[in-house]
Amino acid sequence: MLRLLGSKKRAKVGEISPPKVDPARAPTRPPSTGSVRRKGSEPGSSNDASEYSSAMDYVRRRIVPQQQVSMRAQELEEARVRAEEVTKEFIQGTRQQAKLEERRAAAMALARYVNQEFGDAAEQLGISLRAGRGLAYVLQLIFEGDMQLQRTGLMILANLASDAFDPKSGETKRQVFNANIFHRIKDFVFAADVVAQTYACACLQNLCKDVEFAKLVKTFELIPELERIVRGAKAVP
């Protein structure tokens, strides 16, 4: 009994004896190569090309449109800020307390801006002038006693009332109609100043896309005079 007990090798305290494994039942495991690739995913394989195509498609469908929207928003914001600055400078320069030369310069600055801008800049200018007192100051120019201010005011108004300049010019036409100044524009049709007369005709051409202005042209019997002006212009060599 003592011999049998002493024949067994006892494990030391704290030592863990490895479990016995039956070779017949030992699981087989493939040798590790350090990297795992799916079948057919070697560099340059069709799977790589498919993943690259999917990534580029995602960029085209999601990333690029988001960038375009962001750039578009920035462009609109810049046009809005610039339009508000131009409107503010115009109002400040054409106030009643300003000297004549200062008012002429401010009116001409707005006229140049109107003449050279289009697209977002033009649309934002229309919005800015309508939102504040800007449009009222433009209309005030044609009541001035100075011919240069009258011409400049008519030129600016003719553009602001044009759909080609401002897609929302219909809102400008409505405010001009409510201002009840048609009679003043009409007077320039009969003016001796050919420049002012030309700008007045341009105003009527654009304003009359609104049916209310077309009715006023008929009410004041302006059609014969407008036809006479057209015939005279054609007769000039």
Side-chain angles (χ1 to χ4, degrees):
M1 186 67 171
L2 294 174
R3 184 175 58 82
L4 292 174
L5 291 173
S7 64
K8 293 183 179 181
K9 186 178 181 181
R10 295 184 179 184
K12 297 179 181 179
V13 177
E15 179 180 284
I16 300 176
S17 301
K20 293 183 179 181
V21 180
D22 187 351
R25 295 186 178 183
T28 57
R29 182 176 299 174
S32 174
T33 60
S35 63
V36 179
R37 277 188 173 271
R38 291 176 298 176
K39 185 178 180 181
S41 63
E42 290 77 8
S45 69
S46 59
N47 281 351
D48 279 352
S50 177
E51 291 175 359
Y52 175 80
S53 177
S54 297
M56 292 305 297
D57 184 58
Y58 176 81
V59 170
R60 286 192 297 269
R61 290 186 297 105
R62 299 293 297 275
I63 305 300
V64 172
Q66 289 175 1
Q67 291 177 341
Q68 291 174 339
V69 169
S70 178
M71 292 176 61
R72 176 63 176 155
Q74 182 178 353
E75 291 172 355
L76 285 175
E77 179 62 14
E78 290 175 354
R80 183 191 66 79
V81 171
R82 180 56 182 148
E84 290 182 354
E85 290 174 350
V86 170
T87 300
K88 183 178 180 180
E89 291 170 0
F90 169 68
I91 292 175
Q92 178 67 19
T94 55
R95 68 192 188 282
Q96 289 295 329
Q97 297 80 3
K99 295 181 180 180
L100 178 59
E101 290 305 318
E102 183 180 355
R103 297 166 73 189
R104 284 178 174 177
M108 187 57 63
L110 179 60
R112 282 194 293 267
Y113 188 82
V114 167
N115 188 56
Q116 69 186 15
E117 297 299 338
F118 57 90
D120 292 338
E123 183 175 351
Q124 290 299 317
L125 178 63
I127 292 173
S128 179
L129 290 171
R130 289 190 300 268
R133 298 172 296 165
L135 184 58
Y137 274 74
V138 171
L139 300 181
Q140 181 61 37
L141 293 177
I142 67 177
F143 287 91
E144 295 285 352
D146 181 69
M147 184 176 296
Q148 181 175 329
L149 288 177
Q150 293 172 358
R151 290 175 175 179
T152 307
L154 288 168
M155 177 269 183
I156 294 171
L157 180 58
N159 282 277
L160 295 178
S162 170
D163 294 340
F165 178 78
D166 179 7
K168 297 180 180 178
S169 67
E171 298 177 22
T172 298
K173 296 181 182 73
R174 182 52 43 189
Q175 288 193 17
V176 174
F177 180 80
N178 292 335
N180 194 28
I181 64 162
F182 182 84
H183 64 284
R184 181 55 177 160
I185 300 175
K186 169 187 68 67
D187 291 342
F188 287 103
V189 174
F190 301 93
D193 180 13
V194 177
V195 176
Q197 183 185 66
T198 301
Y199 286 143
C201 290
C203 281
L204 292 179
Q205 179 182 4
N206 292 330
L207 290 172
C208 283
K209 290 188 176 181
D210 185 307
V211 66
E212 297 300 332
F213 281 104
K215 290 178 181 178
L216 288 174
V217 167
K218 186 175 181 180
T219 299
F220 284 94
E221 300 180 349
L222 293 180
I223 294 178
E225 180 63 19
L226 293 172
E227 291 178 342
R228 185 192 67 78
I229 293 173
V230 172
R231 288 195 300 270
K234 289 182 178 179
V236 175

